[in-house]
Amino acid sequence: MRQPDWDPAKARANRTEAYDRMRQECPVAFSSQLGWSVFRYADVVAVSADTAAFSNVRVNDDATGSIKTRSIPLEMDPPEHTPYRKLLMPLFAPDKMRQFEPRLRALAERDIGRLIDAGEANVVSRFADPFPVRVICAFIGWHEDEWQLIKSMSADVRKAMLERSEADLCAAHKRWSDYIAPTLSARRKMPADDATSWLLAQHLDGRPLSELELTNILRLMLVAGHGTTTASFGLLLFYLATHPDDQQSLRDKPEQIAPAIEEILRWSGPLSTMQRTVTKDTGLHGRQLKAGDRLTLMYSAANRDPQQFPDADKCLLGRRPNRHLIFGSGVHTCLGASLARLELRVALEELLKRTRRFSLTGTPPATNPDIWPTADLLPFTLHFER
Ligand code: HEM
């Protein structure tokens, strides 16, 4: 039995201090919860780039290599990953984002308007939770009023993955397949101007995508497209509510909202970690990793690495360059980053434009951000002044 080098659960109490120590003293560390962890920026980038030694294929996945319920393209390695990624990239290209922006802005105007009208509101349950699900549903052309069902099915997937229960994951995926199938069939009969119909029209190696491939792509989009964005909204709103000068400066200079979002997220870390499986015995900073070991990319630690970011612990809204790893690195770099950036920017623009000030009321929540894979948002209430 390998001795642990650190305890991630204990590190949560003061993760900045713990990550500083690990980056310096033990950059490749073992724990029973996370397997191997890498903390330095350069190591997270190097491991993400080495897809031959560090695989994204789910550990318990069926050994036959069939697609089964693997999330496409996330749970694939090159060369299998490459054609799917190429096929999906145009969906998130700048022209598609420009096309979608008016629809997204209408959603933001409505939801932000309701939030401000309330005067005072729990922004997690009233906005950060539902809005990103509504956005991804609008993007792929599904009913946005089913956000609670989508959230609950996504929570089942997350729980099964956290508990590493293949049986629960299969059950959760079955629920998703049953949910997705009728919409696919409806769009086959009557195409619409949405991402689902776009997917149905695509070809891979001269053939249309199969039902299973379409399901595994759409499920990933629906699951990946909101938990991280919900966490990001919570962290952004909390930061701006508790830093009134920064809030006002963005209200005065809306063109600075987009880079400010990048820096607040680098500093606060909506997605702390992702995992890989070691495929062959590999040495890293003198540690011997064995085939089959798990490895965790510690994005939040890498994003505060002083070797990469001067004054790494300071949130400097004008930081340039800012090559953070919020959206990952390498071939799996977030496919939906353009959509995430668009929705975060548009919603903040609407909120700042329509308010004179917003501030935190009541007791600030105790933060508990280091839960894999996304920050668990604790509720907090904001007071809005027009
Ligand atoms: C602020 C919000 C978001 C964050 C922080 C985030 C973060 C990430 C990260 C770190 C990865 C890389 C995972 C890895 O290397 O194993 C990733 C991949 C991915 N993300 Fe996002 N994401 C966000 C929003 C979205 C949205 C809105 C979508 C919409 C569909 C999306 C879809 C995907 C997909 C499909 C992949 C897999 C890409 C591939 O394997 O080639 N994400 N995301």
Side-chain angles (χ1 to χ4, degrees):
M1 188 70 178
R2 201 178 268 136
Q3 285 302 308
D5 300 306
W6 72 304
D7 182 346
K10 278 201 188 135
R12 245 179 246 150
N14 188 344
R15 70 170 182 165
T16 306
E17 196 184 283
Y19 291 169
D20 284 349
R21 197 177 58 250
M22 299 310 287
R23 266 194 316 266
Q24 281 175 29
E25 296 170 11
C26 191
V28 182
F30 182 78
S31 68
S32 52
Q33 298 96 315
L34 299 179
W36 296 101
S37 292
V38 288
F39 298 87
R40 291 182 183 165
Y41 182 95
D43 292 332
V44 171
V45 171
V47 167
S48 304
D50 190 351
T51 54
F54 304 102
S55 166
N56 249 27
V57 177
R58 212 165 53 233
V59 187
N60 297 332
D61 200 28
D62 186 273
T64 62
S66 69
I67 291 171
K68 296 260 171 167
T69 63
R70 267 197 276 164
S71 294
I72 298 178
L74 184 62
E75 294 177 319
M76 292 173 155
D77 297 324
E80 189 186 25
H81 168 268
T82 315
Y84 288 103
R85 172 94 190 185
K86 276 200 184 137
L87 182 138
L88 292 170
M89 274 167 61
L91 200 50
F92 298 93
D95 63 315
K96 284 277 190 291
M97 293 303 114
R98 271 192 297 276
Q99 241 173 293
F100 183 57
E101 184 166 341
R103 170 101 175 85
L104 173 59
R105 194 167 291 276
L107 276 178
E109 282 169 356
R110 188 196 66 189
D111 284 14
I112 293 282
R114 283 181 187 159
L115 196 63
I116 297 169
D117 285 348
E120 205 163 285
N122 172 347
V123 288
V124 175
S125 61
R126 292 285 291 272
F127 179 74
D129 261 347
F131 183 70
V133 193
R134 289 185 179 133
V135 170
I136 189 71
C137 286
F139 183 69
I140 62 171
W142 293 33
H143 295 296
E144 55 158 287
D145 47 6
E146 291 185 353
W147 71 270
Q148 273 156 321
L149 176 66
I150 288 174
K151 259 206 132 52
S152 108
M153 291 197 297
S154 306
D156 288 348
V157 171
R158 179 179 182 227
K159 185 165 175 284
M161 290 186 83
L162 268 173
E163 291 170 358
R164 303 176 67 74
S165 164
E166 199 64 13
D168 288 353
L169 193 59
C170 282
H173 282 170
K174 166 85 174 63
R175 226 177 131 204
W176 269 108
S177 308
D178 293 346
Y179 176 70
I180 290 171
T183 308
L184 279 179
S185 143
R187 287 294 189 290
R188 273 199 183 95
K189 284 187 202 126
M190 194 182 290
D193 182 16
D194 60 30
T196 305
S197 298
W198 183 91
L199 274 173
L200 280 163
Q202 298 310 301
H203 285 74
L204 192 72
D205 299 332
R207 59 161 182 92
L209 295 170
S210 70
E211 179 89 6
L212 189 57
E213 287 169 319
L214 288 162
T215 303
N216 290 346
I217 290 170
L218 284 165
R219 189 192 61 242
L220 175 63
M221 281 195 205
L222 282 158
V223 175
H226 61 87
T228 43
T229 325
T230 287
S232 301
F233 271 122
L235 295 166
L236 287 165
L237 295 179
F238 188 78
Y239 178 89
L240 292 176
T242 50
H243 294 78
D245 292 347
D246 284 345
Q247 183 190 133
Q248 192 53 42
S249 96
L250 296 186
R251 194 172 279 114
D252 296 340
K253 294 182 185 149
E255 69 282 4
Q256 290 180 3
I257 293 176
I261 289 172
E262 306 285 318
E263 173 64 355
I264 298 170
L265 296 184
R266 176 198 70 82
W267 182 79
S268 52
L271 176 63
S272 309
T273 63
M274 284 301 280
Q275 294 211 314
R276 299 289 187 264
T277 303
V278 180
T279 58
K280 52 188 179 197
D281 295 1
T282 306
L284 206 57
H285 290 294
R287 308 302 298 263
Q288 290 311 310
L289 282 54
K290 298 258 171 266
D293 286 353
R294 274 185 307 138
L295 179 144
T296 303
L297 301 165
M298 305 297 290
Y299 292 133
S300 298
N303 277 329
R304 295 274 195 118
D305 188 338
Q307 296 291 325
Q308 177 67 22
F309 303 100
D311 284 327
D313 288 335
K314 289 197 181 136
C315 185
L316 305 170
L317 297 196
R319 183 184 289 279
R320 290 212 178 57
N322 192 358
R323 290 190 201 91
H324 60 68
L325 302 173
I326 289 305
F327 294 109
S329 169
V331 297
H332 293 286
T333 299
C334 182
L335 198 55
S338 55
L339 178 62
R341 286 181 162 122
L342 182 68
E343 65 181 285
L344 295 170
R345 174 176 63 75
V346 165
L348 283 196
E349 282 170 2
E350 292 302 323
L351 178 61
L352 289 164
K353 195 167 75 186
R354 289 150 181 256
T355 50
R356 213 160 34 90
R357 190 170 28 221
F358 58 88
S359 50
L360 196 64
T361 62
T363 325
T367 46
N368 185 16
D370 202 18
I371 311 252
W372 180 86
T374 50
D376 262 357
L377 277 184
L378 299 173
F380 61 94
T381 303
L382 294 187
H383 175 72
F384 300 98
E385 291 170 51
R386 285 183 197 275

